Amino acid sequence: MWHRRKLNEIPLLYEALVYDAQKHQNFTVPNMISESHSNISISNWLQNWLNCDVSKPREAVCDHSIALLSAIVKSFTQYSTLQDYLRACAGLLKETVFDYQALPRCFVRIDVAHFIKIASKWTPLKSITRLAREMILRAIGLLIKCKTMNEIRVLLLSLFVLLTNETNGTDIENGEETPCEQQKRFLTEATSTGFVDLQIEFDDIVSLAETEDDARILIENEYKRQNEALDLYENPFQAWADDILLESKTLIKDGTGINPFYCPELVSVLIKTTKNIPLWSAVMIPIFDYEEDISSSAAVESSFKKLKK
């Protein structure tokens, strides 16, 4: 049984699809079966494909695998590591004068469906009600659509306030609305009006996350282990998120009601997620001047489903 075998003993299929904009079709280019899931093995595979005198893609979408993301960055951009790619993105988002030399030669993105699926499995979400969980996941969906750091900042501050206040309602000292109550209303309105175009896909993703096979679960666990490696590197986006958290702590007030969204354990998960903001959000869309707000590798997933049959 697959669930009893180590991940490196499971043969993994890697497949890359290219989109033909003129014919509106996807077709498979390289594929590889390997028991290794490492940056080196994937980089070698991609490099062998490039050695066939093909052009490097301007955009690449994949799942949340750090090994895969790192290999794509190394093979398709001028940067040797994922950390360098993220630092370059941070610099481009801060600079008032655009540096074309720093612009990555390939726009690397995480598939939105995979990202939401990972988010739906965050352990702290199990401790809150279903309605609270759904609204937080909807807020994550809005974060994905953000095209500016300021938009992301507003949503993160709202989430941090909502997650760290035990009470809501009115302030027990002055009778005014607590910041938690204000942010709850803001997020409720935002997730009701700004989430329509993602609703069907969102429901399908969350439903699928509850019925995955053992092999996929093993791979997801490996992704989590790989993500821990990012903790070893200084990340400008995490430092930025830490500052937002500090601001949110000044908005903790005692209110008259019980806050159903109280989940301080989720804050650290969100901050860790901000390390990869350029990969899963739309914040780099204006930088790369691309039109697609939402990144998807659905074509690859569809190909895998056909193969399983």
Side-chain angles (χ1 to χ4, degrees):
M1 297 293 291
W2 278 22
H3 67 278
R4 294 183 181 179
R5 301 169 69 182
K6 295 180 180 179
L7 181 64
N8 58 10
E9 295 176 347
I10 299 176
L12 301 175
L13 171 63
Y14 295 88
E15 183 176 27
L17 271 67
V18 171
Y19 178 67
D20 188 328
Q22 294 182 340
K23 296 182 178 180
H24 302 289
Q25 292 180 344
N26 297 289
F27 59 92
T28 301
V29 273
N31 50 36
M32 172 181 71
I33 295 178
S34 173
E35 291 183 352
S36 174
H37 186 67
S38 67
N39 179 5
I40 295 176
S41 61
I42 301 172
S43 295
N44 289 338
W45 166 56
L46 293 176
Q47 191 57 54
N48 286 335
W49 175 54
L50 294 176
N51 289 340
C52 296
D53 196 26
V54 297
S55 301
K56 293 183 179 181
R58 294 178 58 239
E59 179 183 17
V61 181
C62 66
D63 60 26
H64 204 270
S65 162
I66 297 300
L68 188 53
L69 288 164
S70 298
I72 288 175
V73 167
K74 183 177 180 180
S75 301
F76 298 157
T77 78
Q78 68 271 44
Y79 297 103
S80 57
T81 68
L82 179 60
Q83 289 74 29
D84 289 341
Y85 177 92
L86 293 172
R87 292 191 192 101
C89 290
L92 289 167
L93 289 167
K94 290 180 180 179
E95 291 179 357
T96 55
V97 179
F98 193 79
D99 184 359
Y100 285 96
Q101 291 185 342
L103 181 68
R105 294 168 188 158
C106 178
F107 186 8
V108 182
R109 311 178 71 182
I110 292 175
D111 171 46
V112 60
H114 186 79
F115 182 78
I116 294 178
K117 185 163 59 177
I118 291 292
S120 70
K121 294 180 179 180
W122 287 339
T123 302
L125 288 175
K126 297 178 182 179
S127 65
I128 57 178
T129 66
R130 180 178 179 181
L131 290 177
R133 172 175 171 267
E134 286 187 359
M135 194 174 89
I136 289 174
L137 288 175
R138 286 168 178 263
I140 300 300
L142 292 181
L143 284 170
I144 292 172
K145 296 173 61 179
C146 290
K147 290 186 177 181
T148 69
M149 293 299 289
N150 187 58
E151 290 175 345
I152 294 178
R153 187 186 185 285
V154 170
L155 285 172
L156 278 180
L157 179 61
S158 184
L159 280 169
F160 289 164
V161 171
L162 203 60
L163 295 171
T164 56
N165 276 272
E166 291 189 62
T167 58
N168 57 16
T170 57
D171 192 310
I172 60 175
E173 293 184 358
N174 56 31
E176 297 179 354
E177 269 192 339
T178 60
C180 181
E181 187 68 24
Q182 295 171 356
Q183 296 304 329
K184 183 184 74 171
R185 186 172 63 254
F186 166 73
L187 278 180
T188 300
E189 294 175 356
T191 55
S192 298
T193 59
F195 200 74
V196 177
D197 54 340
L198 281 176
Q199 183 62 59
I200 296 177
E201 185 176 14
F202 171 82
D203 292 339
D204 291 342
I205 291 168
V206 174
S207 176
L208 179 63
E210 299 174 353
T211 58
E212 293 203 321
D213 57 40
D214 292 341
R216 187 65 187 182
I217 292 173
L218 280 175
I219 295 174
E220 299 289 359
N221 290 335
E222 175 65 8
Y223 291 169
K224 292 179 182 178
R225 186 191 66 78
Q226 292 174 358
N227 285 335
E228 292 174 358
L230 291 178
D231 294 335
L232 303 176
Y233 300 92
E234 183 179 350
N235 184 285
F237 296 103
Q238 182 176 0
W240 172 77
D242 285 336
D243 289 340
I244 299 175
L245 177 60
L246 287 176
E247 180 180 348
S248 73
K249 289 181 178 179
T250 66
L251 300 174
I252 295 178
K253 304 293 181 181
D254 291 329
T256 56
I258 298 176
N259 176 23
F261 297 93
Y262 179 65
C263 187
E265 298 82 7
L266 186 58
V267 172
S268 60
V269 178
L270 285 172
I271 289 180
K272 189 172 184 178
T273 301
T274 62
K275 293 181 177 183
N276 294 331
I277 279 178
L279 303 177
W280 54 258
S281 76
V283 74
M284 294 300 293
I285 292 285
I287 302 294
F288 282 93
D289 195 23
Y290 277 29
E291 296 181 358
E292 293 293 333
D293 293 357
I294 302 298
S295 57
S296 174
S297 58
V300 176
E301 296 294 337
S302 176
S303 177
F304 283 160
K305 286 181 181 179
K306 292 179 181 178
L307 182 63
K308 290 179 181 179
K309 293 179 180 180

